[in-house]
Amino acid sequence: MLHIERIPLLWVFFQAAVVVTWCFTDLETGPGAGVSVTQPNGDRFKIEGRAVVPGVKTQDWVSTARIFVEGEEYVGFVRTDGSFAVNDVPSGSYVVEVITPNYRFEPVRVDITSKGKMRARLVNFIKTSEVIRQPYPLQIRANGPQTYFMKRETWGWTDFLMNPMVMMMVLPLLIIVLLPKVVNTNDPEMRKEMEQSMNMLNPNPELPDVSELMTKLFSGSKGSSKAGSSSKGTRPAVKRR
Amino acid sequence: MAKLILMCLKFMVLCSTVEAVFEDQVGKFDWRQQYVGKVRFSHFDTHLQSSKKVLLATENNVFASLNTRTGELLWRHVDKIGPEGNIDALLQHGQDALLVVGDGRLLRSWEINVGGLNWEIVLDSGSFQSACLIGQQDIVKHVAVLKKTVISLHYLSNGHQKWIENLPESDTVDYQAVYSGGNGDVYALGVVPHSHIAIVVYSLEDGEIIKQISVEAPWLSNIQASCAVIGQGMLTCVDSATVSLYMLDLDAQSEMTQIPLQSLGLDVTPGFQPVLVSTQPNPAQPPLSEFFLQLGPEHHLLLQLNDGQIVTLRDFKPAMLVSFATTGEKTVAAVMSPKNMTACTINLFSAESGRRLLDTTLIFNMDPNVGKPEKLYVQAFLKKDDSVGYRVMVQTEDHTLTFIQQPGRVMWTREEALSDVVTMEMVDLPLTGTQAELEGEFGKKAAIQDGLFSMVLKRLSSQLILLQAWIGHLWKLFYDARKPRSQVKNDVTIENLSRDEFNLQKMMVMVTASGKLFGIDSKTGSILWRHYLENIPSNAAFKLMVQRNTAHFPHPPQCTLLIKDKDTGLATLHVFNPIFGKKSHITPPAMPQPILQSLMLPVMDQDYAKVLLLVDDQYKVSAFPSTKNVLQQLQEMASSIFFYLVDSSQGRLSGYRLRTDLSTELIWEVVVPTEVQRIVSVKGKRPNEHVHSQGRVMGDRSVLYKYLNPNLLAVVTESTDLHQERSFVGILLIDGVTGRIIHEAVQRKAKGPVHVVHSENWVVYEYWSTKSRRNEFSVIELYEGMELYNSTVFSSLDRPHAPQVLQQSYIFPSSISTMEATLTEKGITSRHLLIGLPSGGILSLPKMFLDPRRPEIVTEQSREENLIPYAPELLIRSEWFINYNQTVTRVRGIYTAPSGLESTCLVVAYGLDIYQTRVYPSKQFDVLKDDYDYMLISSVLFALFFATMISKRLAEVKLLNRAWR
């Protein structure tokens, strides 16, 4: 349990480290959590970047792509080379997303100061002031095609065999059929040996039932050997076929 | 630790039980239709002879390319809604299309083959006037953009600005047009209304002003409306007051020459502003010297400018629409003239001579339920024998595009009115004759009247009918199987429409903003009927109500559309049959007074039509239908009919009660001070909603009863102060009968737009948190407690205990466009929220995730109840999108309707596109799933059967052997 208690501590350290690095790398604080007032006649800025879908030609996906800045507040389009620019954005903090129906892109938060300084960071809706820097101009890579579909449950032999119910049925059957053949329980020496090993395993004298259990088990196995013989009865029939 | 793991496991299990679409279900019961909106500019791609593209720029800020063979979208770009995405101009040059967007704010160049952006630049501020391509020596390299105060020239290749110049005296002169004749000069044409024309000539190279002239023209007020440049730089204007043409050579003259139309033997229709139409096929060359002059609504003339003289080439009367088209070196004029009441003919004429070209007649049939033709776009092409062939795209008043080939074959039609669906309803399809017969057998009246014997006979006859129908079906299958596949038509027509066994196929009645009504088959998406209502005010509000459904057989189903002018409040009713789209013979009442509220009562008249009450601004109530029977019923029920009115401008909610003489009395009033907050929306519950379980079973086996008040209203208010520290969103739960405020919640540091869903005992709303800059969901649930006050009936007037209120909020990682809850027949199926996202996805979020009883600390009891532990963030899983990659752009509304199957809910999402699908919130528990493994179950059965047979045989053999031993 000790290490579990340590995890939050580690987390605090990590956060502190992040905050410290942020303080060092970014002295210009940018618009913090509270500052996103848009002046009606303030300057307008341009958010630039490039979107890449690995392994797919740009002309195959750019016609369906759009850039959303804070939902549909500001809209941009992707150029034929994959780069994009969203014009006329006032200062503030925005979530920039590449919207395509077929590929998945991670959103990025872009902060624009009133002087027009830009910075990009990971989107974190829970800790909104946390800063994990991303490159600016934005470099957004698709992390694969969208997975809209569930896989059908297909039926296979392995599924059937690995089913716990089937396992529970098959394993005892195997034991019942095979065990009497492997171990000759009628041999008295063998029997003694087994009994000894059992005693070794259970040195506790308070459990005298074990021997009883053993005898029961063996008598059971005799029964099962009978069952085996009955199954032998069918075997010639199989041979006949 | 173990608990934590268990919790995680449980969470995963819960997540995985949530439904999603399987890949093989694509297109099986869902369909999507994509639209672009009312076309503003259109260009056929002519730079390649074999091209089959047409570019459309629409009033919905959409720029798209269509395949002219099929009418399908090749690509489409949807810009912002509103004036910032407004497309001001569309110019095409080769493979590039230039768009001026947002009142001249942006200039974009698109690659039209791929549909990708070449470049986009920001232009200087200033209101846009005109744009034109500038060519020199047969090469077009630049585009000129004229604004109120500046003119700028940009390279076509990269959009870079070549030069920008201020327009002289722009404070007095209203510059309206820019023109270039391909000789290296750029003309900016401006006018000082009722005084003079100002012409500024710029050099293409450096933007230097070469010449600046001003010409007296005291009769002119608008260049774009009444002037055109014709031939070698001849500015020609037409004036209706002096009934004259005025001409000015832009290069040589400094005074306009007046040519009275009477000298040409022409006459203007009184009260009509004549229009000039010229054509400039190549921007690097001057316009043609032929032009159209429209003198009346159905009177056009083809004129030619020949050595300063105007020659009439041909007089077209009657002619509704004219258009020029150019292919190769040839320019033709297409003229549409009426043939009879239902058809028009289109003919081609040579532009140079005015001669009619042989074999170019095309017939355009006009549906009486479709508006008049509005615009004509002609795609001309050279045939192999060098003659000109053409196809036309006709745009009608109801925003329909029809593409026609000679001699009148309609290649495709696009109902662009459907890009702006305002409201819709789903109506059950009627039963077929056999189905009605079967249903009739179980009618209550029949059972009492008839004896046993006739009942048996009836049963037998109905079985016979069923058998007959089945044989007929088999025969049809057999007959179709022999035919080649292409000939088999499974077209749905109004005649063969019938309800399917699970009532999954319905008629979607859609009302569009243009006033066109559509009846769409929900299974295939084919439009079964359309009806264009003329004279719909542009700012009309619509409310569609189903007065009688298809269940009352001899009486036809009946829908009523209330059309209300938002400015005057005056309303009209359109009563129609939702299955056939025909206007009903019932005359709706005339309503001289503005209408404040309309409400549908569950009361029916003797013809099974539900009663519609209309409240006018004198608070007088009128009923429709208003037969004696209805009035009598209303008098009896009057004391239990309550309604409410919302006046958001004064922030007042007031409740009224009906009196027996159909006047009303005010019983309560809630005033929301308008200085502080304003009412944004008021949401009641859906009247056709069923709640199956009265309560929830808790972990300790006790029951928490839901507060199911059918009269509850959720009122959303937003603060008028929009400062992010002080703005708030308020929600009031008010009983609509008594006016009692059940609950009030305020979300501080939040602002709208607020989306609300109100159903059962819960209200879910979404808002923007200004503090954390994220979207948040909040859910309010109301419970009566562990005991029910009156379990048989709910009365707002007798409910002494206030309900327990639970509330919880969550973070949602996206903004949303619209929201609706699923609805099923009996309300047994668990509920999902359908959330339309701006990205076009429709997310099906289980209500289970929005449950204020989600515990922060997991206990034995909460686990027993299957409550998901609280997590602040709601996830968007792409498997939850019910429309996979079939995105619905600009989704504006989601309509849900129950089907005959309890597990299935029909969903229609509409916006720019329309998408219809089915959802199964608790999976398909009442029918076999479509992946049901028939093979496995039958093979297991057969295997078992054979195993018993074999083992039986073996046992016999064994017995025999033993007997021998």
Side-chain angles (χ1 to χ4, degrees):
Chain A
M1 287 308 273
L2 236 167
H3 65 280
I4 293 164
E5 279 162 18
R6 263 184 213 161
I7 285 172
L9 203 73
L10 271 175
W11 178 239
V12 166
F13 270 125
F14 174 65
Q15 255 186 309
V18 166
V19 168
V20 165
T21 50
W22 171 51
C23 288
F24 276 115
T25 54
D26 196 0
L27 294 170
E28 215 259 322
T29 45
V35 192
S36 70
V37 186
T38 53
Q39 296 90 3
N41 294 318
D43 289 336
R44 298 293 182 115
F45 305 102
K46 184 156 118 183
I47 298 174
E48 286 179 290
R50 178 183 290 274
V52 183
V53 181
V56 181
K57 277 192 221 155
T58 47
Q59 62 214 47
D60 294 342
W61 62 271
V62 288
S63 68
T64 55
R66 283 203 282 173
I67 310 296
F68 273 16
V69 176
E70 209 62 62
E72 227 172 345
E73 197 84 12
Y74 305 96
V75 177
F77 298 96
V78 184
R79 288 195 202 108
T80 38
D81 61 350
S83 62
F84 61 84
V86 184
N87 288 303
D88 270 355
V89 183
S91 62
S93 173
Y94 306 97
V95 175
V96 179
E97 289 168 282
V98 183
I99 303 286
T100 58
N102 294 324
Y103 302 100
R104 198 172 59 234
F105 290 89
E106 286 294 324
V108 180
R109 187 177 278 283
V110 173
D111 301 324
I112 310 171
T113 62
S114 53
K115 287 184 189 118
K117 280 215 167 194
M118 306 272 203
R119 101 182 148 185
R121 55 190 170 112
L122 276 187
V123 175
N124 188 340
F125 284 114
I126 297 172
K127 279 197 230 92
T128 46
S129 53
E130 186 189 52
V131 176
I132 299 170
R133 293 288 290 243
Q134 296 282 98
Y136 188 88
L138 302 172
Q139 293 288 330
I140 307 180
R141 278 174 82 85
N143 40 13
Q146 293 267 25
T147 49
Y148 289 116
F149 302 112
M150 296 243 294
K151 273 219 168 147
R152 281 267 188 220
E153 283 176 31
T154 49
W155 194 85
W157 282 103
T158 45
D159 296 345
F160 176 72
L161 288 179
M162 295 316 243
N163 188 333
M165 293 299 282
V166 175
M167 297 268 269
M168 267 164 67
M169 274 165 63
V170 169
L171 274 179
L173 211 88
L174 281 178
I175 291 165
I176 289 164
V177 176
L178 293 181
L179 205 68
K181 301 209 171 158
V182 178
V183 187
N184 190 358
T185 43
N186 290 341
D187 187 6
E189 272 182 42
M190 187 72 178
R191 203 165 167 171
K192 205 176 269 174
E193 213 171 275
M194 280 186 82
E195 232 164 278
Q196 266 179 1
S197 63
M198 279 292 171
N199 285 338
M200 286 276 279
L201 276 174
N202 291 324
N204 197 343
E206 282 175 32
L207 286 168
D209 295 349
V210 175
S211 57
E212 254 182 57
L213 216 134
M214 285 297 288
T215 50
K216 261 187 194 168
L217 190 118
F218 283 119
S219 63
S221 73
K222 264 174 204 164
S224 73
S225 71
K226 264 177 208 160
S229 68
S230 74
S231 70
K232 264 175 207 161
T234 58
R235 219 166 283 142
V238 173
K239 270 176 195 164
R240 258 180 160 198
R241 211 160 40 127
Chain B
M1 194 70 192
K3 266 186 186 173
L4 201 82
I5 289 167
L6 206 86
M7 200 176 89
C8 288
L9 267 177
K10 200 149 205 171
F11 189 70
M12 278 162 72
V13 166
L14 280 169
C15 284
S16 60
T17 53
V18 168
E19 52 108 31
V21 186
F22 297 105
E23 197 154 6
D24 52 73
Q25 287 180 325
V26 166
K28 218 169 170 184
F29 45 75
D30 63 322
W31 50 263
R32 177 179 67 163
Q33 289 168 355
Q34 291 186 300
Y35 294 97
V36 294
K38 186 188 179 186
V39 174
R40 182 179 284 164
F41 305 108
S42 169
H43 275 285
F44 286 99
D45 178 19
T46 48
H47 88 279
L48 276 178
Q49 191 63 239
S50 59
S51 172
K52 38 184 184 181
K53 259 192 236 70
V54 56
L55 302 177
L56 305 174
T58 72
E59 303 200 338
N60 290 23
N61 306 349
V62 176
F63 179 50
S65 164
L66 296 185
N67 184 339
T68 54
R69 298 279 185 278
T70 59
E72 275 159 21
L73 283 176
L74 292 168
W75 46 259
R76 180 180 72 177
H77 289 287
V78 182
D79 208 340
K80 273 177 82 167
I81 307 172
E84 285 167 69
N86 192 36
I87 299 172
D88 300 317
L90 164 65
L91 302 167
Q92 194 201 339
H93 176 252
Q95 293 201 0
D96 299 334
L98 288 169
L99 287 186
V100 182
V101 177
D103 200 15
R105 183 67 184 158
L106 296 169
L107 183 64
R108 288 199 184 114
S109 166
W110 295 94
E111 212 286 322
I112 61 173
N113 290 324
V114 176
L117 188 68
N118 286 326
W119 46 260
E120 173 185 289
I121 55 155
V122 183
L123 300 174
D124 277 11
S125 59
S127 109
F128 171 78
Q129 295 294 328
S130 173
C132 109
L133 293 170
I134 309 289
Q136 195 178 21
Q137 288 151 4
D138 280 355
I139 304 161
V140 182
K141 274 188 183 165
H142 304 97
V143 57
V145 178
L146 180 77
K147 292 196 160 194
K148 204 111 202 156
T149 55
V150 290
I151 180 166
S152 59
L153 202 73
H154 302 266
Y155 291 99
L156 281 181
S157 53
N158 52 15
H160 289 174
Q161 187 175 298
K162 184 165 181 172
W163 49 259
I164 182 164
E165 292 296 328
N166 282 320
L167 292 162
E169 298 162 35
S170 58
D171 49 340
T172 53
V173 183
D174 187 8
Y175 288 93
Q176 290 175 336
V178 59
Y179 158 78
S180 162
N183 55 0
D185 295 340
V186 181
Y187 296 81
L189 309 175
V191 63
V192 179
H194 309 295
S195 169
H196 63 274
I197 300 178
I199 299 162
V200 187
V201 187
Y202 291 92
S203 159
L204 172 65
E205 291 310 318
D206 49 6
E208 197 185 334
I209 295 178
I210 298 173
K211 201 162 61 172
Q212 192 177 351
I213 44 176
S214 118
V215 180
E216 284 294 311
W219 39 269
L220 186 69
S221 59
N222 191 335
I223 291 185
Q224 273 171 331
S226 49
C227 296
V229 179
I230 289 150
Q232 301 285 345
M234 192 68 91
L235 180 70
T236 310
C237 298
V238 63
D239 176 41
S240 57
T242 53
V243 202
S244 309
L245 284 177
Y246 291 87
M247 304 189 80
L248 171 76
D249 192 330
L250 289 174
D251 296 320
Q253 285 169 306
S254 60
E255 205 166 312
M256 295 196 107
T257 43
Q258 184 181 5
I259 305 170
L261 283 173
Q262 269 173 339
S263 70
L264 300 168
L266 302 173
D267 207 11
V268 181
T269 310
F272 185 81
Q273 169 69 36
V275 182
L276 285 166
V277 181
S278 69
T279 178
Q280 184 175 12
N282 186 348
Q285 275 169 6
L288 297 185
S289 54
E290 290 83 20
F291 61 99
F292 273 115
L293 172 64
Q294 188 181 7
L295 293 173
E298 293 204 343
H299 187 199
H300 290 81
L301 285 160
L302 182 63
L303 304 175
Q304 191 180 37
L305 182 72
N306 202 343
D307 295 334
Q309 294 295 312
I310 287 179
V311 184
T312 307
L313 290 179
R314 199 165 181 127
D315 189 343
F316 299 106
K317 192 175 184 180
M320 298 138 83
L321 297 169
V322 293
S323 174
F324 281 112
T326 303
T327 174
E329 294 296 305
K330 289 186 180 174
T331 299
V332 290
V335 178
M336 180 190 254
S337 45
K339 189 182 176 199
N340 52 32
M341 286 301 283
T342 59
C344 291
T345 53
I346 302 167
N347 282 296
L348 276 198
F349 295 86
S350 160
E352 283 145 41
S353 61
R355 257 186 304 115
R356 198 171 84 83
L357 300 176
L358 288 176
D359 298 329
T360 54
T361 308
L362 192 151
I363 294 162
F364 171 64
N365 287 311
M366 282 193 298
D367 196 325
N369 293 332
V370 163
K372 291 187 190 71
E374 216 171 35
K375 272 184 194 167
L376 189 66
Y377 305 99
V378 181
Q379 182 192 26
F381 52 88
L382 285 174
K383 288 187 195 162
K384 279 186 188 123
D385 58 350
D386 220 31
S387 65
V388 181
Y390 74 119
R391 302 186 190 96
V392 291
M393 188 165 76
V394 183
Q395 186 183 355
T396 43
E397 274 178 335
D398 53 348
H399 310 176
T400 309
L401 293 178
T402 315
F403 196 71
I404 315 169
Q405 200 182 24
Q406 271 180 284
R409 193 168 75 84
V410 175
M411 291 178 78
W412 46 264
T413 47
R414 287 181 68 87
E415 294 288 356
E416 291 302 337
L418 282 172
S419 67
D420 211 351
V421 175
V422 182
T423 177
M424 67 168 291
E425 282 290 338
M426 269 185 162
V427 183
D428 294 352
L429 291 176
L431 296 167
T432 55
T434 44
Q435 283 171 330
E437 192 90 0
L438 292 177
E439 293 275 313
E441 190 194 342
F442 304 107
K444 272 181 188 163
K445 278 182 196 165
I448 296 161
Q449 282 166 10
D450 301 340
L452 184 74
F453 185 66
S454 64
M455 290 279 283
V456 171
L457 271 186
K458 248 188 190 173
R459 173 88 253 179
L460 282 178
S461 70
S462 60
Q463 291 301 87
L464 264 178
I465 290 168
L466 269 186
L467 188 74
Q468 203 183 342
W470 187 64
I471 288 170
H473 177 70
L474 277 188
W475 173 247
K476 192 173 175 292
L477 271 185
F478 175 70
Y479 197 74
D480 284 350
R482 292 195 333 200
K483 279 199 234 169
R485 186 161 282 237
S486 57
Q487 283 183 16
V488 180
K489 274 190 180 170
N490 280 331
D491 282 349
V492 186
T493 55
I494 287 181
E495 282 75 39
N496 63 17
L497 267 186
S498 69
R499 201 183 293 184
D500 61 333
E501 50 192 335
F502 295 132
N503 201 2
L504 291 166
Q505 189 180 3
K506 294 195 180 195
M507 177 67 86
M508 292 158 53
V509 180
M510 298 192 124
V511 181
T512 63
S514 65
K516 197 171 186 184
L517 312 183
F518 291 90
I520 301 177
D521 171 33
S522 76
K523 196 178 180 184
T524 57
S526 51
I527 297 168
L528 297 178
W529 58 263
R530 60 206 90 194
H531 188 94
Y532 180 57
L533 300 174
E534 279 167 32
N535 307 324
I536 296 289
S538 58
N539 57 347
F542 297 90
K543 188 176 176 187
L544 182 64
M545 290 156 285
V546 183
Q547 277 201 295
R548 189 194 297 132
N549 59 19
T550 39
H552 310 284
F553 169 57
H555 304 286
Q558 183 181 325
C559 270
T560 303
L561 179 68
L562 180 77
I563 307 152
K564 181 176 154 182
D565 190 316
K566 269 185 200 161
D567 292 339
T568 60
L570 290 173
T572 50
L573 288 179
H574 174 69
V575 186
F576 62 101
N577 180 330
I579 304 297
F580 301 105
K582 289 199 189 84
K583 195 173 178 200
S584 169
H585 59 272
I586 300 165
T587 42
M591 290 173 291
Q593 298 284 345
I595 297 297
L596 293 181
Q597 174 74 290
S598 67
L599 54 156
M600 201 74 155
L601 295 184
V603 183
M604 287 190 198
D605 72 347
Q606 70 272 29
D607 292 340
Y608 304 101
K610 283 185 191 159
V611 176
L612 176 70
L613 288 189
L614 298 158
V615 185
D616 64 20
D617 64 343
Q618 305 295 314
Y619 304 104
K620 288 285 280 181
V621 175
S622 55
F624 170 69
S626 59
T627 56
K628 220 174 183 180
N629 176 303
V630 170
L631 294 177
Q632 197 185 340
Q633 284 192 59
L634 279 181
Q635 275 186 5
E636 284 163 16
M637 288 184 60
S639 61
S640 62
I641 296 175
F642 298 84
F643 61 90
Y644 67 93
L645 296 175
V646 186
D647 185 350
S648 59
S649 62
Q650 292 178 30
R652 192 163 55 205
L653 274 159
S654 36
Y656 292 84
R657 183 161 74 176
L658 197 66
R659 289 213 199 110
T660 47
D661 59 343
L662 293 189
S663 61
T664 55
E665 65 178 319
L666 181 75
I667 46 176
W668 58 266
E669 197 169 49
V670 174
V671 178
V672 178
T674 46
E675 310 85 65
V676 184
Q677 51 188 334
R678 61 195 164 87
I679 298 170
V680 181
S681 70
V682 178
K683 281 256 179 153
K685 288 176 191 176
R686 289 178 65 160
N688 56 345
E689 172 185 280
H690 290 273
V691 181
H692 182 256
S693 57
Q694 289 275 311
R696 286 176 61 159
V697 182
M698 314 281 285
D700 58 0
R701 296 289 179 271
S702 61
V703 177
L704 185 62
Y705 287 100
K706 294 174 184 170
Y707 179 77
L708 297 168
N709 184 349
N711 310 317
L712 197 66
L713 302 173
V715 182
V716 180
T717 60
E718 277 177 36
S719 63
T720 46
D721 187 353
L722 291 175
H723 187 270
Q724 57 162 344
E725 289 293 318
R726 296 187 293 271
S727 67
F728 64 88
V729 166
I731 189 150
L732 281 171
L733 299 180
I734 297 182
D735 188 304
V737 170
T738 58
R740 181 178 174 194
I741 295 176
I742 306 287
H743 181 66
E744 188 175 9
V746 170
Q747 222 76 42
R748 294 202 186 282
K749 292 180 187 172
K751 66 171 185 173
V754 183
H755 300 270
V756 197
V757 173
H758 182 192
S759 180
E760 285 187 35
N761 64 329
W762 46 265
V763 180
V764 172
Y765 58 100
E766 185 262 6
Y767 52 89
W768 171 258
S769 161
T770 53
K771 188 188 167 206
S772 324
R773 284 174 306 189
R774 63 193 179 200
N775 290 284
E776 290 180 4
F777 263 103
S778 195
V779 55
I780 296 176
E781 285 197 1
L782 303 170
Y783 290 98
E784 293 238 328
M786 294 302 173
E787 279 169 49
L788 214 52
Y789 177 72
N790 179 352
S791 60
T792 50
V793 69
F794 188 96
S795 167
S796 288
L797 302 170
D798 178 31
R799 222 59 176 177
H801 310 296
Q804 299 174 6
V805 180
L806 302 173
Q807 183 161 16
Q808 217 169 50
S809 297
Y810 315 88
I811 302 163
F812 192 67
S814 167
S815 61
I816 75 170
S817 299
T818 185
M819 184 159 69
E820 188 55 80
T822 59
L823 192 67
T824 52
E825 182 87 19
K826 295 271 178 272
I828 299 168
T829 309
S830 61
R831 306 294 293 270
H832 277 202
L833 287 175
L834 299 170
I835 301 166
L837 303 179
S839 65
I842 296 177
L843 187 78
S844 177
L845 183 71
K847 170 67 179 58
M848 195 161 64
F849 285 94
L850 291 166
D851 182 349
R853 303 188 59 250
R854 281 174 70 174
E856 279 179 53
I857 301 148
V858 186
T859 61
E860 199 66 44
Q861 285 196 1
S862 70
R863 209 172 303 138
E864 189 91 348
E865 263 187 87
N866 266 341
L867 291 176
I868 309 161
Y870 180 78
E873 194 169 3
L874 294 171
L875 294 173
I876 295 181
R877 287 159 54 102
S878 55
E879 288 92 340
W880 290 353
F881 286 111
I882 57 170
N883 57 341
Y884 45 105
N885 66 358
Q886 305 288 299
T887 51
V888 186
T889 312
R890 277 196 205 148
V891 55
R892 221 173 316 111
I894 296 174
Y895 179 86
T896 52
S899 72
L901 280 176
E902 172 54 33
S903 66
T904 311
C905 169
L906 304 176
V907 177
V908 181
Y910 53 88
L912 197 59
D913 306 336
I914 296 173
Y915 181 77
Q916 189 275 145
T917 190
R918 300 171 192 164
V919 290
Y920 314 99
S922 303
K923 291 193 168 181
Q924 286 173 287
F925 57 81
D926 47 7
V927 278
L928 286 182
K929 276 179 219 148
D930 47 3
D931 66 335
Y932 187 75
D933 208 336
Y934 293 97
M935 279 302 288
L936 178 71
I937 202 105
S938 47
S939 60
V940 165
L941 265 177
F942 275 112
L944 279 175
F945 177 71
F946 283 117
T948 45
M949 294 293 280
I950 290 165
S951 55
K952 196 180 166 193
R953 169 94 188 113
L954 291 179
E956 273 171 14
V957 169
K958 195 184 168 191
L959 275 176
L960 194 68
N961 283 348
R962 194 177 287 167
W964 274 108
R965 202 175 280 161

